[in-house]
């Protein structure tokens, strides 16, 4: 388990600048096949149980779906409408809430924090709302406190959260340095509550979620059995395991929201389209800010500005126990790229970057780059015939699931009891994948020219299925 919770995750997109920005022209059919390969590689190599993804350009849906398992024990697959904890992507909602109050004249960027949260000791320093929004306050982040993880099971008030660092020496004088800071965004949530007279959750619901039709976006529940929500997982000593519990009062306005990839893409467009805050406020949110001395920092207000292929980008990532998220928006092409996962072991940010590259006809890099081009290995007739037969998967909890592998012409098919048949694709070494879930693997054990067992890998779980004579 991590010593501190990764509520943070600021991403910088490498810029491939050009004199003339090229538009994204890839067709949905061409994009989807390559996107599946990239998602497939991320899930297989990170061992994340699932990923939901949305890539939407203008009115074109280039990719919209999900692969893997939202709940490993229940063997429940995700969809594009599965709800995930989004971690620090929450910060742009908090920033937008503050800027809406600024637009209304109820808050000023140069207001001192003491005007709204007088109980927090500023040690003789002036900390403005501006300093909190761009992480230049110098206040220490509570997620780095060694005492904080001991309280993860407890419901805590925002005042109790910021108390973890209230007596700490400032990291630097306000406005003179930059350090990503979750305490600052909890304090901003307290400012929102004081200035609006509403709870943070109620204010966001009334000002953003309901008016914009974000029906599956909300302040997360700490515990839920609702199948619409993904369960969170971490990397354990013996593989993927359920994430340690964190009461969702802790991340508060720094990282406690839940959403779907579709809702979030809608939010990106509304924010860019002037439906959330004024154009001037959005410009402050999405433009690199500066320190007192004029040195630029790669952060706005809750958003990370960047450049890719001559286009401005706006991004952020998130991490919280059991979940990791990443999202990028390209205003020039109204292009949204959003990936949510229920695994905190590896950020999907590289996956988002590669989806962005493919959208502009640029070759992907790093892990997964070869996946979009690799030729399928061949399967001999003898090996194919050795696999055909009936097997019984030994599911978690003692249940069993009969599954058969058979030929449909020359295609090798798999069909679990009560489910549709699906073609399986040979990947080499007696291992097969399926089109509907790029992370799923069937691996056969061959003895004396005949398969004796199939092993299913899906969502981080490994399940054996002996052949039925």
């Amino acid at each position: 388990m991590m010593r501190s919770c990764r509520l943070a995750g600021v991403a910088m997109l490498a810029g491939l600048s050009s004199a003339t920005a090229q538009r994204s022209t890839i067709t949905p059919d061409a994009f989807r096949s390559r996107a599946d390969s990239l998602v497939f590689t991320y899930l297989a190599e990170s061992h994340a149980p699932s990923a939901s993804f949305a890539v939407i350009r203008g009115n074109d849906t280039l990719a919209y779906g999900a692969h893997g398992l939202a709940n490993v024990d229940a063997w429940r697959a995700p969809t594009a409408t599965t709800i995930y904890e989004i971690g620090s992507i929450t910060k742009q909602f908090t920033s937008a809430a503050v800027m809406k109050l600024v637009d209304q004249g109820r808050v000023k960027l140069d207001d001192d924090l003491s005007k709204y949260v007088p109980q927090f000791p500023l040690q003789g320093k002036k900390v403005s709302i501006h300093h909190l929004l761009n992480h230049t306050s110098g206040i220490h982040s509570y997620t780095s406190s060694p005492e904080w993880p001991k309280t993860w099971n407890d419901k805590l008030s925002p005042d109790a959260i910021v108390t973890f660092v209230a007596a700490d020496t400032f990291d630097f004088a306000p406005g003179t340095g930059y350090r990503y800071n979750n305490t600052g965004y909890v304090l901003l949530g307290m400012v929102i509550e004081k200035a609006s007279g509403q709870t943070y959750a109620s204010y966001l619901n009334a000002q953003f979620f309901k008016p914009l039709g974000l029906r599956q976006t909300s302040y997360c529940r700490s515990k839920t059995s609702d199948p619409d929500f993904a369960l969170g997982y971490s990397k354990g000593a013996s593989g993927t395991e359920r994430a340690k519990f964190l009461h969702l009062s802790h991340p508060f306005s720094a990282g406690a929201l839940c959403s779907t990839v579709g809702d979030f893409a809608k939010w990106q467009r509304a924010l860019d389209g002037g439906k959330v805050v004024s154009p001037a406020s959005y410009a402050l949110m999405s433009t690199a800010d500066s320190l007192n001395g004029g040195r630029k920092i790669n952060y706005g207000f809750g958003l990370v500005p960047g450049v890719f292929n001559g286009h401005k980008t706006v991004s952020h990532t998130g991490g919280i126990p059991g979940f990791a998220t990443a999202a990028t928006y390209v205003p020039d092409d109204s292009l949204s790229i959003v990936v949510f996962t229920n695994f905190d072991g590896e950020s999907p940010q590289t996956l988002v970057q590669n989806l962005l590259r493919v959208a502009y006809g640029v070759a992907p890099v790093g892990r997964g780059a070869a996946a979009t081009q690799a030729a399928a290995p061949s399967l001999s007739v003898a090996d194919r015939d050795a696999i055909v037969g009936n097997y019984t998967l030994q599911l978690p909890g003692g249940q069993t699931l009969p599954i058969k592998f058979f030929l449909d012409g020359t295609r090798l098919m798999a069909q679990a009891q009560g489910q549709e048949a699906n073609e399986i694709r040979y990947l080499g070494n007696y291992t097969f994948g399926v089109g509907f879930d790029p992370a799923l693997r069937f691996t056969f054990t061959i003895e004396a020219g005949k398969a004796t067992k199939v092993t299913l890998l899906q969502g981080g779980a490994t399940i054996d299925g002996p052949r039925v004579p």
Side-chain angles (χ1 to χ4, degrees):
M1 183 63 205
M2 298 169 289
R3 179 174 174 272
S4 63
C5 168
R6 289 189 301 107
L7 297 175
V10 180
M12 295 178 62
L13 288 174
L16 295 182
S17 60
S18 61
T20 303
Q22 299 297 314
R23 310 294 296 209
S24 171
T25 59
I26 192 169
T27 65
D29 286 345
F31 184 87
R32 181 55 193 259
S33 62
R34 300 190 72 188
D36 276 341
S37 294
L38 290 166
V39 175
F40 158 81
T41 301
Y42 167 78
L43 292 176
E45 297 190 356
S46 70
H47 302 294
S50 77
S52 290
F53 51 92
V55 183
I56 303 171
R57 183 190 60 207
N59 294 322
D60 291 334
T61 299
L62 301 182
Y64 185 63
H67 299 307
L69 290 173
N71 182 326
V72 173
D73 291 337
W75 211 249
R76 188 175 72 241
T79 69
T81 60
T82 293
I83 302 169
Y84 293 78
E85 295 180 23
I86 63 174
S88 281
I89 289 181
T90 295
K91 288 182 172 66
Q92 61 193 270
F93 290 88
T94 300
S95 171
V98 171
M99 296 311 294
K100 192 170 188 69
L101 291 167
V102 170
D103 288 340
Q104 296 168 344
R106 301 165 74 180
V107 172
K108 295 180 180 178
L109 289 177
D110 61 358
D111 280 345
D112 193 75
L113 174 62
S114 60
K115 179 178 179 179
Y116 305 95
V117 191
Q119 65 272 31
F120 188 83
L122 296 179
Q123 304 173 23
K125 297 177 174 61
K126 175 179 172 57
V127 175
S128 68
I129 303 304
H130 190 145
H131 292 143
L132 298 174
L133 285 165
N134 68 1
H135 301 295
T136 62
S137 70
I139 295 171
H140 202 56
S141 184
Y142 73 93
T143 50
S144 298
S145 167
E147 297 303 312
W148 172 60
K150 301 174 185 178
T151 67
W152 281 16
N153 288 330
D154 304 329
K155 181 179 180 180
L156 297 182
S157 67
D159 272 316
I161 290 295
V162 300
T163 296
F164 283 109
V165 297
D168 289 0
T169 301
F170 275 46
D171 293 332
F172 44 79
T176 65
Y178 167 88
R179 183 168 295 174
Y180 194 87
N181 180 355
N182 288 301
T183 307
Y185 268 77
V186 170
L187 290 166
L188 286 172
M190 298 167 75
V191 170
I192 292 166
E193 294 192 333
K194 180 70 173 180
S196 71
Q198 297 178 267
T199 66
Y200 172 77
S202 297
Y203 184 79
L204 264 61
N205 190 52
Q207 297 296 322
F208 300 152
F209 305 157
K210 283 188 176 180
L212 297 174
L214 307 181
R215 296 182 178 85
Q216 293 178 297
T217 303
S218 66
Y219 195 106
C220 298
R221 312 172 198 175
S222 288
K223 293 183 179 180
T224 181
S225 57
D226 188 333
D228 289 340
F229 287 75
L231 295 184
Y233 296 86
S234 297
K235 185 182 295 184
S238 57
T240 303
E241 60 185 30
R242 281 297 309 276
K244 184 177 179 181
F245 175 75
L246 172 69
H247 196 282
L248 269 302
S249 60
H250 289 234
F252 187 48
S253 47
L257 296 186
C258 282
S259 191
T260 65
V261 292
D263 263 13
F264 192 79
K266 184 184 294 186
W267 162 260
Q268 289 177 311
R269 290 152 186 271
L271 191 57
D272 182 66
K275 297 179 180 179
V276 179
V277 296
S278 69
S281 287
Y282 180 58
L284 289 173
M285 291 176 63
S286 59
T287 302
D289 211 346
S290 302
L291 300 178
N292 290 350
R295 182 169 65 87
K296 288 287 187 181
I297 59 174
N298 196 52
Y299 203 88
F301 296 170
L303 292 169
V304 182
V307 176
F308 179 83
N309 222 28
H311 296 276
K312 177 180 178 178
T313 63
V314 183
S315 305
H316 213 286
T317 61
I320 197 166
F323 299 87
T325 56
T328 289
Y329 184 72
V330 185
D332 288 351
D333 280 328
S334 299
L335 174 65
S336 295
I337 302 177
V338 188
V339 178
F340 292 168
T341 73
N342 58 339
F343 183 64
D344 59 29
E346 183 172 329
S347 172
Q349 176 58 14
T350 299
L351 171 58
V352 167
Q353 290 185 6
N354 275 333
L355 291 170
L356 176 65
R357 295 174 74 89
V358 170
Y360 284 96
V362 180
V365 297
R367 293 197 323 191
T372 62
Q373 303 294 337
S378 60
L379 178 68
S380 70
V381 173
D383 286 339
R384 183 195 66 187
D385 292 344
I387 287 165
V388 170
N390 296 308
Y391 302 77
T392 302
L393 296 171
Q394 309 297 314
L395 300 180
Q399 297 175 305
T400 61
L401 178 65
I403 185 170
K404 65 178 180 178
F405 296 87
F406 63 96
L407 293 176
D408 179 6
T410 59
R411 300 189 304 160
L412 186 57
M413 311 291 289
Q415 184 172 22
Q417 187 177 70
Q419 300 179 24
E420 295 181 357
N422 291 277
E423 183 178 6
I424 60 176
R425 302 172 298 171
Y426 188 50
L427 304 175
N429 296 321
Y430 299 107
T431 297
F432 296 78
V434 294
F436 68 85
D437 184 351
L440 185 151
R441 293 285 195 277
F442 289 115
T443 300
F444 292 87
T445 300
I446 307 295
E447 297 178 2
K450 185 176 183 180
T452 59
K453 180 180 73 173
V454 62
T455 300
L456 169 62
L457 175 65
Q458 187 176 23
T462 300
I463 296 174
D464 287 334
R467 178 188 280 271
V468 178

